[in-house]
Amino acid sequence: MRTHITNAEQFWKTYFNSIVVFYILIGLTALNCSPAQADLIKLKNGGEIRGKLLRTTSSSVETRVIQTLSGGSIAVNSQHIEFITNRPLSIEKYESRSKEIEDTVEAHLKLADWCLKNHLNAQRLEQMANVIQLDPDHSKARAALGYTKRNGEWMTRDEVMRNNGYIKYKGRYVSSAELELLEKNQADLEAERKWIKKVKLWLIWISGNDLLQQQEGLQNFQAINDPHAVAALGRLLGKHKHMAIRSLLISTLDQIPGDKPLRPLSELVLTDPVKTIRQTALDVLTKRNATQAIAFFIEGLKNKSNVIVQRAGQGLEAIGDRTVVPDLISALTTRHTYRVRVPDTTSTYSYNTNGTFGGSGVVLPPNIEAGLLAGRYPNGVIVLPSQQPKVQMRTVSVKHLHQNEAVLLALQKITQQNFGYNERLWRLWWASTQNQTGVVPVLQ
């Protein structure tokens, strides 16, 4: 029995020691598997040496020794070193590989996969950008960079949302109207409310019969230069029935600095019924940096009214920003729906045996009615009543495809090209210019 116990004790002792050794090995492995770091020596002549900086037994620091990624060692005099830094080894390996690979789709994709396995997302996107420079229609690379295909054209999410009238604000997409509200704090809102009271009062004065009040009200408008007044001015003067008041709005906005006047000026350009007002507003708008107004006109290109689409094209032509070319190409032709009143051609009229005319209540003349009953008119008869019956009308929806001349003129001016209304040719040309310039957006 004692021998049996001794053997059991020996077994458990051996087993316990094995477990201890096992966990020690796991711990060492975990330490070794921590993200490997590498050193980089930046030389004063602009060169770089990557690897692992070796410790020297000498107390002298005049020379630093680094073991390169290829395994060799290089000694560098300290006076030639700009600085030394430490980075993950995977980044050093990536930079070495990226300089050595062939400039082919396959090579860049292979390196991109290596980056994915090594958790180098930014570097992977860099390789995918290289892929689409070589193959602009490569679906995998486009998807990795955040592109989707819309109407045959690759677009980023920002471009898709911008085309739909949305702007990115603090990580989410909002409409331009919502953006304006989000950017206002309580102090701004309170200042705008105060201006509403003033503008209402001065508008009453200049619209009244008191000459002195008219002059005072006009002078007050001419002295406004506070951006907080823009909201009140646009709301109360922008849709005023008198053209002179809307003209006063333009001149007042012209003297207010900043971007706030761009919205009401853009609204006048797009919606005012008077051409003179629209042109004056556009002239004032384009005298300043109108970049922030582009979003308003891009929204106009998608308007249900073709009139607004044309005016949006004129606005973008005046601003002249090349980034709107894809939006203009999409708006070269637009389809609009109209509701019109037309004669109800589905109604049919016939002569009834009771002498009435197609249910309209018109009674046939006695001699005609007798002839019909006697069978003298086997092929029927046309009766023109003394008073024509009222034509039945109905409302129908009619779709019409418009070729937007103002949009084409904007494209011609901005690009100095002319492919007419051929959207396909415009897109092919635009894609070729992007490939030539090598501008490929890389999402971070």
Side-chain angles (χ1 to χ4, degrees), residues 2 51 71 80 158 170 176 234 236 240 317 359 420 429:
R2 180 60 185 168
H80 300 309
D158 285 347
K170 294 185 177 179
S176 56
L236 298 174
H240 201 280
E317 177 186 353
W429 171 80

PDB file of all heavy atoms in Angstrom, residues 2 51 71 80 158 170 176 234 236 240 317 359 420 429:
ATOM      1  N   ARG A   2       1.924   1.271   0.769  1.00  0.00           N
ATOM      2  CA  ARG A   2       2.809   2.436   0.852  1.00  0.00           C
ATOM      3  C   ARG A   2       3.472   2.698  -0.478  1.00  0.00           C
ATOM      4  O   ARG A   2       3.612   3.840  -0.903  1.00  0.00           O
ATOM      5  CB  ARG A   2       3.873   2.188   1.949  1.00  0.00           C
ATOM      6  CG  ARG A   2       4.853   3.345   2.130  1.00  0.00           C
ATOM      7  CD  ARG A   2       4.129   4.608   2.520  1.00  0.00           C
ATOM      8  NE  ARG A   2       5.026   5.731   2.589  1.00  0.00           N
ATOM      9  CZ  ARG A   2       4.645   6.995   2.674  1.00  0.00           C
ATOM     10  NH1 ARG A   2       3.338   7.285   2.649  1.00  0.00           N
ATOM     11  NH2 ARG A   2       5.520   7.955   2.786  1.00  0.00           N
ATOM     12  N   GLY A  51      15.519  49.247 -38.397  1.00  0.00           N
ATOM     13  CA  GLY A  51      15.947  48.002 -37.804  1.00  0.00           C
ATOM     14  C   GLY A  51      15.834  48.056 -36.299  1.00  0.00           C
ATOM     15  O   GLY A  51      14.942  48.720 -35.754  1.00  0.00           O
ATOM     16  N   GLY A  71      18.967  41.790 -41.565  1.00  0.00           N
ATOM     17  CA  GLY A  71      19.844  41.013 -40.690  1.00  0.00           C
ATOM     18  C   GLY A  71      21.237  41.565 -40.543  1.00  0.00           C
ATOM     19  O   GLY A  71      21.983  41.158 -39.647  1.00  0.00           O
ATOM     20  N   HIS A  80      26.119  62.286 -37.680  1.00  0.00           N
ATOM     21  CA  HIS A  80      25.340  62.209 -38.914  1.00  0.00           C
ATOM     22  C   HIS A  80      23.862  61.920 -38.652  1.00  0.00           C
ATOM     23  O   HIS A  80      23.072  61.839 -39.592  1.00  0.00           O
ATOM     24  CB  HIS A  80      25.898  61.118 -39.830  1.00  0.00           C
ATOM     25  CG  HIS A  80      27.324  61.334 -40.232  1.00  0.00           C
ATOM     26  ND1 HIS A  80      27.772  62.514 -40.764  1.00  0.00           N
ATOM     27  CD2 HIS A  80      28.411  60.501 -40.167  1.00  0.00           C
ATOM     28  CE1 HIS A  80      29.073  62.426 -41.028  1.00  0.00           C
ATOM     29  NE2 HIS A  80      29.485  61.206 -40.666  1.00  0.00           N
ATOM     30  N   ASP A 158     -19.554  60.464 -49.201  1.00  0.00           N
ATOM     31  CA  ASP A 158     -19.703  61.915 -49.095  1.00  0.00           C
ATOM     32  C   ASP A 158     -20.295  62.503 -50.374  1.00  0.00           C
ATOM     33  O   ASP A 158     -21.148  63.387 -50.328  1.00  0.00           O
ATOM     34  CB  ASP A 158     -18.351  62.568 -48.808  1.00  0.00           C
ATOM     35  CG  ASP A 158     -17.910  62.365 -47.360  1.00  0.00           C
ATOM     36  OD1 ASP A 158     -18.743  61.943 -46.547  1.00  0.00           O
ATOM     37  OD2 ASP A 158     -16.736  62.624 -47.056  1.00  0.00           O
ATOM     38  N   LYS A 170     -19.954  66.914 -37.962  1.00  0.00           N
ATOM     39  CA  LYS A 170     -19.571  66.177 -36.762  1.00  0.00           C
ATOM     40  C   LYS A 170     -19.893  64.690 -36.868  1.00  0.00           C
ATOM     41  O   LYS A 170     -20.477  64.080 -35.970  1.00  0.00           O
ATOM     42  CB  LYS A 170     -20.251  66.783 -35.522  1.00  0.00           C
ATOM     43  CG  LYS A 170     -19.765  68.192 -35.212  1.00  0.00           C
ATOM     44  CD  LYS A 170     -20.366  68.711 -33.918  1.00  0.00           C
ATOM     45  CE  LYS A 170     -19.810  70.102 -33.597  1.00  0.00           C
ATOM     46  NZ  LYS A 170     -20.392  70.660 -32.345  1.00  0.00           N
ATOM     47  N   SER A 176     -28.764  71.131 -45.392  1.00  0.00           N
ATOM     48  CA  SER A 176     -28.153  72.453 -45.210  1.00  0.00           C
ATOM     49  C   SER A 176     -28.966  73.306 -44.243  1.00  0.00           C
ATOM     50  O   SER A 176     -28.410  74.091 -43.469  1.00  0.00           O
ATOM     51  CB  SER A 176     -28.038  73.160 -46.568  1.00  0.00           C
ATOM     52  OG  SER A 176     -29.312  73.243 -47.200  1.00  0.00           O
ATOM     53  N   GLY A 234     -34.016  87.797 -44.324  1.00  0.00           N
ATOM     54  CA  GLY A 234     -34.453  86.846 -45.337  1.00  0.00           C
ATOM     55  C   GLY A 234     -35.901  86.440 -45.166  1.00  0.00           C
ATOM     56  O   GLY A 234     -36.645  86.308 -46.147  1.00  0.00           O
ATOM     57  N   LEU A 236     -38.434  88.102 -43.614  1.00  0.00           N
ATOM     58  CA  LEU A 236     -39.436  89.163 -43.729  1.00  0.00           C
ATOM     59  C   LEU A 236     -39.382  89.922 -45.054  1.00  0.00           C
ATOM     60  O   LEU A 236     -40.398  90.477 -45.494  1.00  0.00           O
ATOM     61  CB  LEU A 236     -39.269  90.150 -42.574  1.00  0.00           C
ATOM     62  CG  LEU A 236     -39.468  89.546 -41.170  1.00  0.00           C
ATOM     63  CD1 LEU A 236     -39.134  90.570 -40.098  1.00  0.00           C
ATOM     64  CD2 LEU A 236     -40.899  89.052 -41.005  1.00  0.00           C
ATOM     65  N   HIS A 240     -41.313  89.289 -49.989  1.00  0.00           N
ATOM     66  CA  HIS A 240     -42.204  90.458 -50.012  1.00  0.00           C
ATOM     67  C   HIS A 240     -42.744  90.687 -51.417  1.00  0.00           C
ATOM     68  O   HIS A 240     -42.044  90.495 -52.414  1.00  0.00           O
ATOM     69  CB  HIS A 240     -41.458  91.696 -49.517  1.00  0.00           C
ATOM     70  CG  HIS A 240     -42.359  92.778 -49.028  1.00  0.00           C
ATOM     71  ND1 HIS A 240     -43.013  93.648 -49.890  1.00  0.00           N
ATOM     72  CD2 HIS A 240     -42.730  93.136 -47.767  1.00  0.00           C
ATOM     73  CE1 HIS A 240     -43.738  94.490 -49.179  1.00  0.00           C
ATOM     74  NE2 HIS A 240     -43.580  94.202 -47.888  1.00  0.00           N
ATOM     75  N   GLU A 317     -22.505  78.189 -62.777  1.00  0.00           N
ATOM     76  CA  GLU A 317     -21.631  78.759 -63.807  1.00  0.00           C
ATOM     77  C   GLU A 317     -20.956  80.022 -63.291  1.00  0.00           C
ATOM     78  O   GLU A 317     -19.751  80.233 -63.492  1.00  0.00           O
ATOM     79  CB  GLU A 317     -22.433  79.077 -65.064  1.00  0.00           C
ATOM     80  CG  GLU A 317     -21.596  79.735 -66.146  1.00  0.00           C
ATOM     81  CD  GLU A 317     -22.430  80.183 -67.349  1.00  0.00           C
ATOM     82  OE1 GLU A 317     -23.628  79.868 -67.390  1.00  0.00           O
ATOM     83  OE2 GLU A 317     -21.867  80.863 -68.233  1.00  0.00           O
ATOM     84  N   GLY A 359     -76.293  60.206 -73.048  1.00  0.00           N
ATOM     85  CA  GLY A 359     -76.467  60.406 -71.621  1.00  0.00           C
ATOM     86  C   GLY A 359     -76.284  61.843 -71.207  1.00  0.00           C
ATOM     87  O   GLY A 359     -76.288  62.157 -70.033  1.00  0.00           O
ATOM     88  N   GLY A 420     -21.953  68.450 -75.832  1.00  0.00           N
ATOM     89  CA  GLY A 420     -23.397  68.548 -75.960  1.00  0.00           C
ATOM     90  C   GLY A 420     -24.100  67.934 -74.770  1.00  0.00           C
ATOM     91  O   GLY A 420     -23.652  68.037 -73.630  1.00  0.00           O
ATOM     92  N   TRP A 429     -14.850  61.649 -70.359  1.00  0.00           N
ATOM     93  CA  TRP A 429     -13.832  62.703 -70.363  1.00  0.00           C
ATOM     94  C   TRP A 429     -13.442  63.066 -68.921  1.00  0.00           C
ATOM     95  O   TRP A 429     -12.253  63.200 -68.606  1.00  0.00           O
ATOM     96  CB  TRP A 429     -14.364  63.951 -71.072  1.00  0.00           C
ATOM     97  CG  TRP A 429     -13.446  65.126 -70.905  1.00  0.00           C
ATOM     98  CD1 TRP A 429     -12.307  65.391 -71.595  1.00  0.00           C
ATOM     99  CD2 TRP A 429     -13.571  66.163 -69.923  1.00  0.00           C
ATOM    100  NE1 TRP A 429     -11.717  66.539 -71.115  1.00  0.00           N
ATOM    101  CE2 TRP A 429     -12.470  67.028 -70.089  1.00  0.00           C
ATOM    102  CE3 TRP A 429     -14.513  66.449 -68.930  1.00  0.00           C
ATOM    103  CZ2 TRP A 429     -12.301  68.162 -69.297  1.00  0.00           C
ATOM    104  CZ3 TRP A 429     -14.331  67.565 -68.146  1.00  0.00           C
ATOM    105  CH2 TRP A 429     -13.231  68.416 -68.326  1.00  0.00           C
TER     106      TRP A 429
END
